[in-house]
Amino acid sequence: MELEKFTYDNKLAKYFIYATITWGIIALLVGLTAAFELIFPSLNGGIPWFTFSRIRPVHTNGAIFAFVGNAIFTAVYYSTPRLLKTPMFSKTLGAIHFWGWQLIIVAAVFTLPLGYTQSKEYAELIWPIDIAVVVVWVIFGINFFGTILNRRIKHIYVSIWFYIATWVTVAVLYIVNNLQLPTSFLHSYPIYAGIQDALVQWWYGHNAVAFFLTTPFLGLMYYFIPKAANRPIYSYKLSIIHFWALIFIYIWAGPHHLLYSSLPDWVQALGIVFSIMLLAPSWGGMLNGLLTLRGAWDKVREDPTLKMFVVGVTAYGMATFEGPLLSLKTVNALSHFTDWTIAHVHIGTLGWNGMLTFGMIYWLTPRLFNTKLYSKALANTHFWLATLGMLFFSIPLYFAGFTQSLMWKQFTQEGYLAYPNFLETVTQIMPMYYLRAFGGSLYYTGVILFAVNIWKTVRVGKFVRYEEFSAPALEKVPVIEEKIAWGWHRKLEGNVAKFTIFALIAVLIGGLVEIVPMYLVKSNVETISAVKPYTPLELEGRDIYVREGCYLCHSQMIRPFRSEVERYGEYSKAGESVYDHPFQFGSKRTGPDLAREGVSSLPNYKPDSWHYNHMLDPQKMNAESIMPPYPWIINNNLDVSHTASKINVMIKLGVPYPKDYASKAVKDLNTQAHKIGENLRSAGIKVDDNKEIIALIAYLQRLGTDIYKDRELNNND
Amino acid sequence: MTTENKNIRNHQDGYEIDTLTNDRLIKGHDYDGIRELDNDLPSWWKWLFYLSIVFAIIYSVRLFVFKSPDLIQADEYNNEMADFKKNKSKINANQAASFEVKLLTGDASLTKGQDTWTKICAACHLADGGGLVGPNMTDNYWINGNTVQDLYNVVTNGVIQKGMLSYKDQLSNEKRLQVVSYILVKLHGTTPANPKAPQGKKYE
């Protein structure tokens, strides 16, 4: 049999390792900073770009797309050629992929803190960057599928299945969720509004977890665990079943992020039942990972790489057990909007993604540099710091979430809310926030040790850029296949086009069934005639709210519970958010819900002057408040140069402004601003009509008022 | 680069066995040295999967076919509120029987009043009563009158157009009386750090 010679180029794997570590250090440091800002709200020092709500998206996007993303690409660029016995398809495309991705991250690191955001969680990047992401993703796809076409092995291995599902699904999710109309080079409105926008966003958000944090990491696990342990995969059949079940079921589960919201019951129910059915397929991955280590447990005790893998895979099992649990309505009624969710995601990211990434790099670096790991002791210390850090991070947050939620719901014997002041429930859990920051610090120290260890290893070793291999060309390989059950799947593994199409169909079904009827069937979003579009001033105020990231601490979704209706007013209706491009429901209540902030007959109502003082210095109104001060909103002049174009885009999106309203918008804006300005001045505040704060106040005072209009008239007489 | 694996032995029937576990390897499955075992799915795993599917079916039938009120959000809410209303009339009756608006001077009552003040009222009147968005409570000027009943009425019904809220749905009448007493007994007449200019009429 004639052998063909070829070489693997390790350069990109090396680059991606460096990028993973660099961005890991940055993204986690930003996270740690955010944790401290929650304890010391004035830590932002009045600097806009350093404020909690501006840097939190840097942390989340950084952790997901920069740290985990580069780890994924490390795994793909190292394992794909070896699994397919061919070099990567194109070095040029590889280089464009690498540098393009890093440039995107740099762009994110600058735009997000400056307030350029779409305000959709993990999809905050503004539209020009979105386009760059799609381009780079396509380049990655060409390089990846090109490699598959050149392969010298007929059947593709389970890692490759997961990479394929990742590529296809992320492409679909990213494009659909980011459809939007620009109002300027740096700003746009999504084509979806309100509850429909929320459904699309959480279909995306949930499946970013599925197809960016999970499937590529399962691919990584399937390559690096058997390699590092030198053990065969526990069960090929399990691989097949859990792969297809996982990708088909995952896509349906998004609505569990919107339980008890104004999403119709039937969509919520689909989210619930599919989340429950997701447990076994997820655990299939965990089992196949852990059981692959049978016969190698003695090595696990010795080897920091394997130890990390074991904790990582176990964390995956915990997170995927908890996920279905949190999808049960009774549990979700407690957990949602609290720190419980934060704890949950960090088991996934710090545990599963973090530990697998560390393990992979500990294993890979010595091989790429033809040397031994600089210090095993240091790696062991890292292992313990990471494990303890994870526990100190999440256990207090579970406790915090539980405690705060019970306080929100508790009534006195006389039937009043036991803690009518929201802030009391925050103050109660502050010690847990301290512990979380401590846990984060432990974990972060571990990451620094990791970076040092890898750096030293690189310094000692010598980079092996090319590895020579040989194998027969694909046509020439005699297929010696043993007849086993499930041969049909084996055939599919040999036909990558078919495989990819099947995967695409599997992931499209759930999204289509849930999203399409939300548009076509009118009854899913009832029309409320009292609900009117925002005035131009309110719209500008809303854009400030979006820019500052207020949605990261404040929800705008009152759930249909007595405890929430008592606290915040009538529960939120789908018809109320039909002009909300983008929706601002939020997912975390670090501060109170603001859905009805403007309704003067409700207990949370505040006069204009209060908002003015509060934005300037929240701690003056409530010494214990952890809301950051926003003095620049008081000082900045409102930019009205895009108001007309914003109104025009809204009209295109179907918001019923009068036909050529754009030309009158600024005049109306000024009139309304003058009224609020007068009101503030009459309360003794020196302020000009053209400040941003005026627009923000206009927006806050509008919130939730539409359906209360009739009632307020009645109340006032 | 196929990794040398000493743990594999050839069976006389032609298939290979992983000697560490005695499980059967699948022939021809070799990816960069990674082999795969022909193990079946663990049966408890299969049961877990079946059970979750059964749950999904039961849940869906209950919701879509039988429209069970415990799964439909609006029904859940209406039931919760109906339960509460049944009890509420009883509570109200108890409260009304033994309540009178009269200045409280006991330490326990005033401490409770202070608690409410700092947690809820200070946001607008400041903790020392000096006033910010709401008026100064320490001076002799009052917009809505200076008797216990006057203050109690303001706190109960609010002055909504001016930015003072109604607390009748948020604080029990007992608590409202405690905080009003706290204002009159403890805050009034003190010297706050940054007193707001007088508002309203002077009462001696």
Side-chain angles (χ1 to χ4, degrees), chain A residues 650-713:
Chain A
M650 284 292 184
I651 292 174
K652 278 200 203 111
L653 292 172
V655 178
Y657 290 105
K659 221 169 151 205
D660 33 39
Y661 187 59
S663 55
K664 306 191 192 91
V666 174
K667 197 171 142 255
D668 281 5
L669 182 149
N670 287 331
T671 315
Q672 192 185 0
H674 184 64
K675 253 201 224 146
I676 297 175
E678 284 292 290
N679 192 7
L680 287 175
R681 287 186 285 272
S682 77
I685 294 169
K686 288 200 190 73
V687 63
D688 294 331
D689 293 347
N690 65 345
K691 296 294 173 188
E692 286 187 344
I693 184 71
I694 305 269
L696 184 61
I697 290 176
Y699 173 61
L700 291 173
Q701 298 294 28
R702 171 68 187 276
L703 281 173
T705 53
D706 285 2
I707 70 165
Y708 266 83
K709 269 191 203 116
D710 309 341
R711 303 183 206 194
E712 288 198 329
L713 290 180

Side-chain angles (χ1 to χ4, degrees), chain B residues 26-85:
Chain B
I26 306 175
K27 221 186 225 167
H29 288 212
D30 182 334
Y31 305 90
D32 194 22
I34 301 173
R35 306 291 310 269
E36 294 182 298
L37 295 165
D38 191 24
N39 284 321
D40 266 324
L41 312 170
S43 58
W44 66 267
W45 181 87
K46 276 195 271 190
W47 279 108
L48 184 67
F49 201 11
Y50 297 151
L51 277 177
S52 70
I53 294 172
V54 171
F55 171 91
I57 294 171
I58 294 176
Y59 193 100
S60 307
V61 170
R62 287 190 60 218
L63 176 71
F64 291 107
V65 182
F66 294 107
K67 312 240 180 282
S68 295
D70 60 325
L71 301 184
I72 292 178
Q73 193 158 290
D75 292 347
E76 278 179 76
Y77 175 70
N78 292 336
N79 291 340
E80 189 189 6
M81 291 313 274
D83 278 356
F84 166 64
K85 287 215 176 85

Side-chain angles (χ1 to χ4, degrees), chain A residues 104-122:
Chain A
I104 287 167
I105 299 168
V106 171
V109 168
F110 281 99
T111 52
L112 292 174
L114 291 177
Y116 299 109
T117 171
Q118 288 176 183
S119 85
K120 289 180 154 201
E121 286 183 68
Y122 331 126

Side-chain angles (χ1 to χ4, degrees), chain A residues 223 231 280 294 421 482 603, chain B residues 18 23-24 32 45 119 170:
Chain A
Y223 182 79
R231 298 288 304 143
R294 289 175 321 152
N421 181 6
E482 184 183 5
Chain B
D18 169 50
D23 289 336
R24 185 175 159 164
D32 194 22
W45 181 87
K119 279 180 184 152
Q170 221 187 81

Side-chain angles (χ1 to χ4, degrees), chain A residues 181 241 253 258 269 442 591 614 686:
Chain A
L181 285 186
I241 287 289
L258 295 166
L442 286 184
H614 183 246
K686 288 200 190 73

Side-chain angles (χ1 to χ4, degrees), chain A residues 157 217-233 285-286 288-293 296 305-306 308-310 312-313 352 356 363, chain B residues 34:
Chain A
Y157 176 60
F217 265 64
L218 284 166
L220 184 159
M221 175 191 92
Y222 273 111
Y223 182 79
F224 287 97
I225 287 194
K227 289 296 270 188
N230 198 17
R231 298 288 304 143
I233 291 296
M286 171 184 70
N288 234 358
L290 291 179
L291 293 179
T292 292
L293 293 169
T305 294
L306 288 179
M308 295 228 154
F309 284 162
V310 168
V313 175
W352 163 244
L356 249 60
W363 184 83
Chain B
I34 301 173

